[in-house]
């Protein structure tokens, strides 16, 4: 790419990386939404209040002058609390001293894990519909995404689909459970298929478990690293953005075997130095002070939001694929006019003032053209108003 300088000269700058990254449709729709003062169900921002201990923990840390850089992989107290939670909730045994890296969000964890563990040209299999940051992070780190397309309404796949995606260059497979945007919660059987597949082809397994507490209708979360023999090849990634409604705080973590954790930590040091210091203390307070009731109430609260939005979509004939977890719903917009999902999302915005993400943002092919994604991580008042507005399409 050429860029003009003030003296009229043209500077040649690197483009290979930039050209591979497509500007997020989510941002684009948020801008369109602002123009019409609509309700933004495009962006996955939790508008719900953060838990008190988390806020108080961070404030107290600032009061104690905990404002300096921390150890590159996070404060001892947070690594220990995460190890404890991994043991009790995820059934993963991890040494807090050598296996856990506190990162700048789970986004930072995945980016640094890719930098640390993948070579340019390595192929990574991921499931589509996918989360765009996963694909773009792979591209930015010069890895190559390969796709297993899941089938609606329950977003199923088969072991044959996995086999069809593997090549001599496949290095890893990425699992996101519960998944964005599909809301799929991978079953024990599916995770066993993935475990066998990864073992047979000697692959790394990246897992993004950021929605691990957002589970509906008695579903349980299974961490791939908890399956027999899987801890040694799995990089478990999660964080606190969603569970504690602190998306802007940027606190996440990875957990994997010590040799890899060290390199991920070095990469994280290089890019971010450390996760925000006082905010790490907020996460410690959350982990230590919030009880099981908090997490089950969270799932119930979001289940009610899911039900409300899905019923509203059904009433206007935009059939939703009822999510099993996370807080997004993919709805069938084939009855709306337009040639593609962008047209249909723009029609929806124009008619109702509701911004949704065009389904094309989650597929590498044409699989998403009849879909839009709506996010229900909204306050009750906002969701009420959004559902009322959707009624305009009746
Ligand atoms: N992973 C998935 C699947 C997400 O949907 C999101 C946010 O939308 C993230 C990660 C970002 O998490 P964090 O705020 O911890 O970087």
């Amino acid at each position: 790419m050429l860029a003009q300088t003030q003296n009229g000269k043209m500077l040649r700058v690197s483009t290979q990386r930039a050209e591979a990254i497509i500007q997020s449709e989510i941002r684009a729709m948020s801008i369109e939404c602002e123009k019409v003062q609509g309700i933004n169900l495009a962006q996955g921002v939790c508008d719900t209040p953060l838990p008190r201990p988390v806020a108080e923990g961070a404030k107290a840390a600032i009061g104690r002058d905990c404002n300096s850089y921390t150890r590159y992989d996070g404060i001892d107290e947070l690594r220990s609390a995460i190890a404890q939670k991994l043991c009790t909730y995820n059934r993963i045994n991890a040494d807090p001293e050598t296996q856990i890296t506190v990162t700048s969000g789970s986004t930072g964890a995945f980016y640094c894990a890719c930098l640390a563990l993948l070579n340019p040209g390595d192929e990574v299999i991921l499931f589509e519909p996918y989360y765009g940051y996963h694909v773009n992070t792979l591209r930015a780190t010069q890895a190559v995404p390969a796709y297993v397309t899941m089938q609606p309404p329950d977003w199923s796949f088969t072991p044959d689909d996995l086999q069809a995606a593997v090549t001599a260059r496949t290095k890893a497979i990425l699992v996101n459970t519960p998944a964005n945007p599909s809301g799929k919660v991978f079953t024990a059987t599916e995770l066993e298929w993935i475990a066998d597949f990864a073992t047979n082809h000697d692959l790394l397994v990246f897992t993004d478990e950021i929605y691990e507490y957002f589970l509906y209708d008695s579903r349980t979360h299974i961490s791939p690293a908890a399956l027999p023999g899987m801890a040694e090849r799995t990089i478990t990634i999660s964080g606190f953005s969603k569970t504690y409604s602190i998306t802007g705080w940027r606190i996440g973590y990875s957990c994997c075997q010590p040799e890899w954790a060290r390199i991920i930590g070095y990469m994280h040091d290089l890019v971010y130095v450390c996760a925000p210091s006082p905010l790490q203390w907020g996460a410690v307070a959350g982990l230590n002070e919030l009880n099981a009731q908090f997490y089950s109430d969270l799932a119930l609260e979001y289940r009610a939001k899911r039900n409300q939005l899905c019923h509203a979509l059904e009433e206007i004939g935009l059939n939703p694929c009822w999510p099993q977890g996370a807080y997004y719903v993919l709805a069938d917009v084939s009855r709306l006019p337009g040639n593609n999902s962008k047209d249909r999302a723009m029609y929806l915005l124009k008619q109702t003032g509701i911004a949704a993400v065009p389904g094309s943002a989650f597929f590498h092919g044409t699989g998403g053209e009849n879909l839009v994604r709506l996010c229900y991580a909204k306050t009750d008042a906002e969701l009420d108003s959004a559902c009322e507005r959707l009624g305009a399409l009746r």
Side-chain angles (χ1 to χ4, degrees), residues 128-186:
E128 74 173 356
Y130 52 68
Y131 170 55
Y133 270 62
H134 288 153
V135 169
N136 284 340
T137 301
L138 292 174
R139 291 197 177 126
T141 55
Q142 294 176 299
V144 180
Y147 304 93
V148 167
T149 306
M150 303 187 290
Q151 301 304 323
D154 57 347
W155 306 105
S156 58
F157 64 96
T158 66
D160 287 346
D161 297 332
L162 297 175
Q163 288 300 340
V166 79
T167 74
R169 290 196 305 272
T170 308
K171 178 74 175 285
I173 182 164
L174 167 67
V175 182
N176 173 211
T177 182
N180 173 8
S182 64
K184 177 184 176 67
V185 174
F186 283 66

Side-chain angles (χ1 to χ4, degrees), residues 11-345:
L11 264 180
R12 186 175 293 281
V13 294
S14 161
T15 53
Q16 285 179 1
R17 224 168 273 132
E19 274 169 8
I21 311 300
I22 306 145
Q23 170 63 27
S24 157
E25 272 296 355
I26 302 172
R27 285 235 166 86
M29 283 311 292
S30 299
I31 293 165
E32 293 297 331
C33 182
E34 235 165 75
K35 282 189 205 157
V36 299
Q37 308 236 302
I39 299 180
N40 191 353
L41 300 192
Q43 213 162 21
V45 176
C46 322
D47 293 337
T48 48
L50 79 167
R52 224 181 137 72
V54 177
E56 295 307 323
K59 284 189 221 162
I62 294 173
R64 292 196 308 275
D65 291 328
C66 299
N67 303 309
S68 314
Y69 300 133
T70 68
R71 206 173 102 168
Y72 71 97
D73 53 357
I75 56 175
D76 291 353
E77 290 77 359
L78 183 51
R79 278 181 285 101
S80 295
I82 291 169
Q84 182 65 40
K85 172 258 174 200
L86 282 169
C87 179
T88 52
Y89 186 66
N90 306 84
R91 305 197 182 286
I92 298 170
N93 290 318
D95 174 5
E97 187 57 27
T98 58
Q99 292 187 260
I100 292 165
T101 311
V102 175
T103 55
S104 183
S106 63
T107 305
F110 183 52
Y111 183 67
C112 292
C114 291
L115 284 177
L117 305 178
L118 298 176
N119 284 320
D122 281 347
E123 290 181 11
V124 177
I125 297 173
L126 67 163
F127 294 88
E128 74 173 356
Y130 52 68
Y131 170 55
Y133 270 62
H134 288 153
V135 169
N136 284 340
T137 301
L138 292 174
R139 291 197 177 126
T141 55
Q142 294 176 299
V144 180
Y147 304 93
V148 167
T149 306
M150 303 187 290
Q151 301 304 323
D154 57 347
W155 306 105
S156 58
F157 64 96
T158 66
D160 287 346
D161 297 332
L162 297 175
Q163 288 300 340
V166 79
T167 74
R169 290 196 305 272
T170 308
K171 178 74 175 285
I173 182 164
L174 167 67
V175 182
N176 173 211
T177 182
N180 173 8
S182 64
K184 177 184 176 67
V185 174
F186 283 66
T187 64
T189 305
E190 288 168 335
L191 292 173
E192 277 159 21
W193 291 342
I194 292 168
D196 287 347
F197 175 73
T199 308
N200 292 340
H201 294 279
D202 204 16
L203 306 179
L204 303 178
V205 180
F206 294 107
T207 74
D208 177 338
E209 302 176 34
I210 191 83
Y211 297 104
E212 60 194 329
Y213 290 106
F214 295 81
L215 299 160
Y216 312 124
D217 313 324
S218 311
R219 287 192 175 77
T220 50
H221 177 65
I222 305 172
S223 285
L227 270 61
M230 288 303 284
E232 65 191 44
R233 62 175 68 250
T234 304
I235 300 94
T236 301
I237 291 170
S238 193
F240 304 99
S241 287
K242 313 288 175 172
T243 312
Y244 295 161
S245 301
I246 49 171
T247 49
W249 283 27
R250 315 310 306 132
I251 311 280
Y253 60 88
S254 66
C255 172
C256 57
Q257 55 162 295
E259 296 73 22
W260 300 347
R262 203 175 54 244
I263 317 172
I264 293 172
Y266 292 163
M267 291 300 172
H268 190 263
D269 185 14
L270 194 61
V271 184
Y272 303 100
V273 182
C274 65
S277 168
L279 308 185
Q280 291 190 47
W281 286 101
V284 172
L287 286 169
N288 290 343
E289 292 174 39
L290 295 167
N291 57 22
Q293 186 77 39
F294 167 81
Y295 299 97
S296 51
D297 286 352
L298 183 75
L300 281 180
E301 182 188 342
Y302 277 80
R303 179 176 179 269
K305 292 180 194 292
R306 175 201 66 167
N307 291 357
Q308 184 181 2
L309 182 58
C310 285
H311 284 310
L313 289 165
E314 276 176 350
E315 270 172 33
I316 56 169
L318 303 188
N319 280 339
C321 290
W322 279 70
Q324 304 165 343
Y327 51 51
Y328 307 92
V329 55
L330 286 171
D332 181 344
V333 286
S334 53
R335 86 165 185 83
L336 301 185
N339 292 323
N340 51 44
S341 59
K342 181 75 191 235
D343 288 354
R344 296 184 176 109

Side-chain angles (χ1 to χ4, degrees), residues 1-15:
M1 182 172 57
L2 292 172
Q4 195 160 19
T5 60
Q6 275 185 353
N7 64 10
K9 291 212 169 119
M10 299 303 275
L11 264 180
R12 186 175 293 281
V13 294
S14 161
T15 53

